[in-house]
């Protein structure tokens, strides 16, 4: 076992012994490995999980491919499996190509009952090794399966792989790993010490602990329909500590006619946000999809378009300086390029530069769809996203955050986790910014898949916040609603309420021990602590932020 794996397993064992003694006696499964690499290396790293169930398995030759037994690398490689069980599978491999300078390589899986067209991708290069990480879920056992890699466009490229791994997890093992991250990243141990004015420890002091706010941002889109709608406002404030305006900041909403800028609706929505101490994301400055560009802007070219663009940034950013924690600067730039087609290849870079100068404290985000939802979209694979972000940063852009929209149909949790692992190598905050589940599914299925996505996001150590795309309108929501128009929960709303309760420290009551101390384990956030001893009472506020050590807090009566 590698030193890092041994340490991680020790931490997991300690967690299980302290937090879940019943599981400690029975858990003997693997610890998920978040390791990921985005640089092309001269020599590959060793296989994750020591290869998992691929350990000792031979690559097979398909499509006339060649197996190099000396290097254990293969061209057009494949693995054959018999009797794969139901569960979660994490696949990874190092990949190198011949026949092109670089190529998008896709891993696929064929079982006896289904075809998984994409379970992971990598932009592989000639002369060095690139890391592919992905995975899949089997909802039923498969007697015969084949996992193989191929060039995306089926071009004449030779593919070599090494250090391949396939690690299975049962559903319980997957959930246990999620809970381990939640308990180590989203919670912290606290010890409260109670003494009198002379420093004497007070045994038997009654302690009551209440979490009054959460550290982790969890919210939803809102629309102008929330204005003047007290039931909607009360429902929202009871649940969420973060918001994003669905459409009201977009250019077509604030300047439908050239020169007629109107921020009235957005201002009123911001007042609601401020009044309830809710943080808000700024969405968006520009949208690269021409369909959502104001019609009058589509008619502009050259200097007229440049002038309109400059006016838009300066007006928006000056009006809302320091109001929004994030700005989605050039929305969905991997799929659309309206402005770069008309203003040149540096247009996006200039947007980021001007936005940063206008509001230096805001996090500027690259927001995109089909990065984490799937790997089947050639425009927005994880390596494509990383490459574009790095290109902008090299050009001088202040790129401060990763926005993953999260418009899912049927989520693939191992793939989702693997993609976030690779994005985490950038060292930037990662947010799920527009989470919903397709309305092609029934409401119960939506709720089941929503819970999968939310648990996966909350339990990933590199995810800093989650936003739902569930703004309510009289005719429903974009794709998924949490309630009906009378604010009665739909199945998706029940899931959200369940998780909100699960991810909050419940009421804690107890007494100090012989050392005058009381310990508890709580979710990060703000706490009100009340202490009563004899005829004396003290009320204090504790900020519980992330840290590896126990938080010690002294209260004097």
């Amino acid at each position: 076992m590698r030193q890092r794996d041994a340490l991680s397993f020790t931490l997991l064992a300690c967690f299980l012994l302290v937090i879940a003694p019943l599981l400690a006696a029975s858990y003997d499964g693997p610890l998920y490995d978040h390791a990921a690499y985005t640089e092309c290396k001269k020599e590959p790293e060793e296989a994750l999980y020591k290869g998992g169930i691929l350990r000792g398995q031979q690559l097979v030759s398909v499509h006339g491919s060649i197996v190099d037994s000396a290097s254990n690398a293969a061209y057009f490689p494949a693995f054959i499996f018999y009797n794969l069980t139901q569960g979660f599978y994490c696949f990874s491999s190092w990949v190198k190509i011949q026949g092109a300078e670089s190529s998008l390589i896709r891993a696929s899986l064929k079982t006896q009952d289904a075809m998984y067209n994409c379970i992971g991708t990598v932009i592989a290069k000639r002369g060095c090794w690139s890391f592919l990480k992905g995975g899949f879920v089997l909802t039923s056992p498969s007697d015969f399966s084949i996992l193989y890699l191929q060039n995306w466009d089926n071009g004449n490229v030779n593919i070599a792989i090494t250090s391949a791994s396939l690690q299975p997890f049962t559903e319980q093992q997957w959930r246990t790993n999620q809970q381990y991250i939640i308990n180590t990243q989203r919670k912290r141990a606290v010890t409260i010490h109670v003494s009198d004015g002379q420093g004497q420890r007070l045994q038997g002091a009654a302690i009551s602990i209440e979490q009054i706010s959460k550290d982790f941002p969890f919210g939803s889109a809102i629309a102008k329909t929330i204005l003047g709608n007290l039931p909607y406002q009360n429902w929202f404030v009871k649940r969420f500590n973060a918001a994003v305006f669905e459409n009201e900041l977009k250019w077509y909403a604030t300047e439908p006619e050239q020169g007629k800028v109107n921020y009235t609706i957005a201002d009123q929505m911001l007042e609601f946000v401020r009044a309830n101490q809710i943080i808000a994301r700024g969405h968006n400055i520009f949208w690269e999809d021409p369909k959502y560009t104001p019609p009058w802007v589509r008619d502009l070219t050259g200097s007229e378009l440049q002038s309109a663009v400059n006016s838009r940034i300066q007006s928006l950013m000056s009006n809302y300086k320091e109001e929004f924690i994030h700005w989605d600067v050039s929305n969905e730039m991997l799929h659309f390029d309206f402005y770069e087609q008309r203003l040149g290849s540096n247009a996006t870079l200039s947007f980021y530069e001007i936005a940063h100068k206008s509001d230096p404290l805001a996090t500027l985000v690259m927001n995109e769809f089909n990065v984490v939802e799937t790997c089947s979209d050639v425009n927005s694979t994880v390596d494509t996203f990383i490459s574009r972000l790095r290109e902008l940063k090299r050009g001088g852009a202040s790129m401060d955050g990763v926005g993953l929209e999260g418009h899912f149909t049927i989520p693939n949790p191992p793939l989702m986790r693997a993609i976030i692992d690779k994005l985490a190598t950038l060292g930037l905050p990662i947010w799920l910014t527009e989470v919903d589940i397709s309305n092609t599914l029934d409401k119960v299925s939506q709720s089941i898949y929503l819970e999968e996505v939310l648990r996966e996001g909350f339990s990933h150590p590199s995810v800093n916040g989650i936003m739902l795309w569930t703004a309510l309108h009289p005719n429903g929501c974009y794709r998924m609603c949490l309630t009906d128009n009378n604010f009665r929960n739909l199945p998706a709303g029940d899931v959200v309420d369940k998780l909100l309760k699960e991810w909050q420290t419940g009421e804690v009551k107890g007494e100090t021990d012989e050392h005058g101390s009381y310990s508890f384990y709580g979710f990060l956030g703000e706490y009100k602590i009340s202490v009563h001893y004899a005829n004396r009472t003290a009320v204090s506020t504790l900020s519980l932020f992330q840290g590896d050590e126990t938080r010690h807090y002294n209260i004097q009566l």
Side-chain angles (χ1 to χ4, degrees), residues 331-396:
N331 202 45
E332 300 175 354
M333 70 172 83
L334 296 183
H335 289 89
F336 309 102
D337 59 354
F338 173 83
Y339 295 99
E340 292 205 345
Q341 280 189 12
R342 289 157 179 79
L343 297 175
S345 59
N346 289 327
T348 302
L349 179 60
S350 71
F351 297 163
Y352 278 89
E353 290 174 342
I354 298 171
H356 177 65
K357 289 177 182 177
S358 302
D359 192 353
L361 297 181
T363 297
L364 303 185
V365 174
M366 180 172 166
N367 194 50
E368 193 56 74
F369 69 92
N370 277 356
V371 179
V372 75
E373 298 94 321
T374 178
C375 61
S376 295
D377 188 336
V378 68
N379 294 304
S380 52
T381 69
V382 61
D383 285 352
T384 303
F385 187 100
I386 291 171
S387 176
R388 180 61 168 139
L389 187 147
R390 285 176 170 165
E391 177 187 354
L392 288 167
K393 286 182 73 71
R394 284 194 300 269

Side-chain angles (χ1 to χ4, degrees), residues 8-27 176 180 183-184 521:
S8 297
F9 191 83
T10 300
L11 290 172
L12 176 58
C14 290
F15 151 67
L16 291 169
L17 287 167
V18 174
I19 304 302
L22 294 177
L23 285 175
S26 60
Y27 186 80
T176 299
Y180 164 61
N183 279 276
T184 55
Y521 200 57

Side-chain angles (χ1 to χ4, degrees), residues 249 279-285 313 316-329 351-366 393 397-402 428-429 431:
L249 281 172
I279 61 172
R281 301 188 68 251
H283 177 79
N284 51 55
I285 300 176
I313 300 182
L316 186 70
M317 302 299 281
S318 63
N319 197 65
Y320 294 112
K321 184 176 182 179
E322 299 180 355
E323 294 283 6
F324 294 97
I325 60 166
H326 296 169
W327 277 107
D328 296 331
V329 178
F351 297 163
Y352 278 89
E353 290 174 342
I354 298 171
H356 177 65
K357 289 177 182 177
S358 302
D359 192 353
L361 297 181
T363 297
L364 303 185
V365 174
M366 180 172 166
K393 286 182 73 71
S398 178
M399 182 72 70
D400 309 310
V402 171
L428 298 175
W431 281 56

Side-chain angles (χ1 to χ4, degrees), residues 26 30 53 86 98 109 140 151 153 163-164 172 191 206 247 288 298 300 302 344 373 420 422 438 444 447 450 531 536:
S26 60
I53 62 174
Q86 179 177 334
Q98 292 179 348
L109 178 74
S140 60
N151 187 27
D153 59 8
S163 296
Q172 182 57 58
T191 296
N247 297 312
E288 291 287 347
R298 294 199 296 265
L300 301 178
E373 298 94 321
I420 298 175
K422 291 196 77 171
S438 173
V444 172
S447 69
L450 176 65
V531 180
R536 290 170 284 174

Side-chain angles (χ1 to χ4, degrees), residues 108-139:
S108 304
L109 178 74
K110 177 72 171 68
T111 71
Q112 64 192 51
D113 299 318
M115 178 68 199
Y116 300 73
N117 287 317
C118 188
I119 61 168
T121 63
V122 67
I123 297 179
K125 298 178 181 179
R126 183 175 65 85
C128 58
W129 294 95
S130 301
F131 187 64
L132 184 154
K133 192 175 192 184
F136 57 92
V137 178
L138 286 186
T139 56

Side-chain angles (χ1 to χ4, degrees), residues 55-268:
R55 188 183 313 169
Q57 181 165 329
Q58 296 297 312
L59 294 162
V60 300
S61 175
V62 295
H63 305 306
S65 63
I66 301 170
V67 178
D68 183 354
S69 57
S71 64
N72 197 33
Y75 297 92
F76 287 103
F79 296 97
I80 290 176
F81 303 98
Y82 300 96
N83 303 318
L84 288 181
T85 58
Q86 179 177 334
F88 297 73
Y89 288 82
C90 295
F91 175 70
S92 60
S93 177
W94 288 87
V95 183
K96 182 168 64 174
I97 62 167
Q98 292 179 348
E101 287 301 313
S102 67
S103 183
L104 180 59
I105 304 301
R106 172 180 61 189
S108 304
L109 178 74
K110 177 72 171 68
T111 71
Q112 64 192 51
D113 299 318
M115 178 68 199
Y116 300 73
N117 287 317
C118 188
I119 61 168
T121 63
V122 67
I123 297 179
K125 298 178 181 179
R126 183 175 65 85
C128 58
W129 294 95
S130 301
F131 187 64
L132 184 154
K133 192 175 192 184
F136 57 92
V137 178
L138 286 186
T139 56
S140 60
S142 176
D143 294 335
F144 177 83
S145 308
I146 182 167
L147 191 162
Y148 58 95
L149 276 69
Q150 61 183 354
N151 187 27
W152 190 281
D153 59 8
N154 297 314
N156 188 22
V157 173
N158 289 327
I159 304 170
I161 75 167
T162 192
S163 296
S165 171
L166 185 66
Q167 178 61 52
F169 293 78
T170 66
E171 182 174 359
Q172 182 57 58
Q173 290 170 343
W174 195 260
R175 302 300 173 221
T176 299
N177 275 272
Q178 286 180 330
Q179 196 59 44
Y180 164 61
I181 294 297
I182 290 172
N183 279 276
T184 55
Q185 299 293 319
R186 309 298 184 199
K187 302 176 77 174
R188 188 175 176 186
V190 181
T191 296
I192 299 168
H193 305 278
V194 181
S195 63
D196 62 17
Q198 286 72 47
Q200 297 296 315
R201 296 175 295 194
L202 298 179
Q203 181 179 359
I207 292 183
S208 176
I209 300 165
E210 177 189 3
Q211 186 175 11
I212 55 179
S213 69
K214 299 178 181 180
D215 178 71
F216 187 85
F218 185 49
S220 171
I222 56 175
K224 61 184 178 182
T225 51
I226 203 167
L227 298 176
N229 189 335
L230 192 58
Y232 189 4
Q233 293 177 5
N234 290 338
W235 175 89
F236 189 93
V237 171
K238 181 181 177 182
R239 288 162 174 81
F240 300 123
N241 61 1
V244 60
F245 302 172
E246 186 181 40
N247 297 312
E248 288 75 11
L249 281 172
K250 293 169 182 172
W251 199 356
Y252 65 73
T254 61
E255 193 177 2
E257 297 180 46
Q258 188 171 11
K260 297 182 179 180
V261 180
N262 189 339
Y263 295 123
T264 303
I265 297 298
D267 287 347
Q268 292 173 357

